[in-house]
Amino acid sequence: MINKKVANAMVALSGVKDNMTLMLGGFGLSGIPENSISQLVKLNIKGLTCISNNAGVDDFGLGLLLHKHQIKKMVSSYVGENAEFERQMLSGELEVELIPQGTLAERCRAAQSGFPAFYTPAGYGTEVAEGKETREFNGKMYVLEHAFKADFAFVKAWKGDEAGNLIFKGTARNFNPNMCGAAKITVAEVEELLPVGSLDPNQIHIPGIFVHRIFQGSNYEKRIEQRTVRKK
């Protein structure tokens, strides 16, 4: 059994360079690879293209990279909770590609599965389809979308073992499974890293074949983007 455990985020991010394309799991602040993002900030890597559902908030998640102008382009489906994202996009400092959320997930999964492209009805007749091949199937029009090409994928899981097998928890699962194996190198950070054989095979969401490096994360914050409580 190949041991894919590395000591920490610094070792896990070995090989990350300026102008690379990165995938980052998460939805809002749920299931984001916090330790990997923090290490990217420390490394001061520049000119990044980041593929992620959204860019976190101003002072957390990918928002930390935005504040240091480390991201050149965001490929996302949602930009709502980050004022700095909005400012950079409107000023022209940040290139943004907005795509339907399902298409984002499927372009990750296509890369993971080795499919170069696929047809989807999402976006036909809108700006999303401009410049793209379209084709009719059974009387309905579809848009050709290409699989992503990324250098690294960074994902966050609840539990993992030293062979790279992963278990996600609740909604923190989100985009993470589709990004595993969808880049040249997949780095997984986990809340709990266990010896091989510790995980119930029936509970594993992603087998280790899709993961290249895994490390035990630390100091995770369980943030809530918008806290709503009922008045007493």
Side-chain angles (χ1 to χ4, degrees):
M1 184 68 69
I2 300 175
N3 189 326
K4 300 176 181 179
K5 176 184 175 181
V6 297
N8 50 42
M10 181 174 68
V11 180
L13 269 67
S14 175
V16 179
K17 301 177 182 178
D18 291 350
N19 303 312
M20 280 189 164
T21 298
L22 311 180
M23 289 181 168
L24 300 107
F27 190 109
L29 301 181
S30 176
I32 64 173
E34 296 173 36
N35 287 213
S36 297
I37 292 172
S38 295
Q39 185 62 28
L40 286 169
V41 173
K42 292 177 183 177
L43 291 172
N44 201 30
I45 304 294
K46 300 285 189 179
L48 295 173
T49 296
C50 292
I51 300 167
S52 186
N53 179 66
N54 61 299
V57 294
D58 288 329
D59 63 343
F60 198 60
L62 289 179
L64 298 174
L65 293 173
L66 284 171
H67 270 286
K68 291 188 66 177
H69 297 274
Q70 293 176 251
I71 301 176
K72 175 183 66 178
K73 178 180 180 179
M74 279 296 306
V75 181
S76 304
S77 68
Y78 176 70
V79 300
E81 307 299 328
N82 194 315
E84 179 62 15
F85 185 117
E86 180 184 15
R87 189 197 67 76
Q88 290 189 24
M89 180 176 69
L90 294 177
S91 69
E93 298 172 44
L94 178 68
E95 185 180 350
V96 178
E97 180 182 351
L98 291 177
I99 58 178
Q101 197 166 73
T103 302
L104 177 69
E106 193 64 13
R107 288 178 70 181
C108 294
R109 196 178 71 86
Q112 177 192 68
S113 302
F115 298 124
F118 59 92
Y119 283 99
T120 174
Y124 177 76
T126 72
E127 293 181 7
V128 170
E130 288 183 4
K132 298 177 182 177
E133 178 184 331
T134 58
R135 185 173 173 182
E136 181 180 343
F137 292 92
N138 300 318
K140 188 172 183 177
M141 296 302 297
Y142 291 77
V143 181
L144 182 68
E145 295 282 0
H146 291 267
F148 286 127
K149 294 180 181 179
D151 299 292
F152 278 81
F154 297 102
V155 302
K156 156 78 183 328
W158 177 39
K159 294 182 179 181
D161 66 22
E162 294 174 353
N165 298 303
L166 303 177
I167 297 176
F168 302 95
K169 187 175 184 179
T171 56
R173 190 170 178 178
N174 52 65
F175 284 84
N176 283 296
N178 283 14
M179 290 184 175
C180 292
K184 294 176 183 177
I185 297 176
T186 295
V187 175
E189 58 178 83
V190 295
E191 295 183 31
E192 188 174 354
L193 184 56
L194 302 167
V196 175
S198 301
L199 301 179
D200 179 353
N202 295 301
Q203 301 301 315
I204 291 172
H205 296 128
I206 288 293
I209 191 67
F210 289 107
V211 176
H212 301 89
R213 304 171 189 171
I214 188 169
F215 70 94
Q216 170 86 54
S218 61
N219 302 316
Y220 287 112
E221 297 185 45
K222 305 294 184 181
R223 289 204 184 189
I224 299 174
E225 289 179 74
Q226 296 185 17
R227 185 184 298 274
T228 303
V229 296
R230 185 176 61 186
K231 293 181 179 180
K232 293 183 178 180

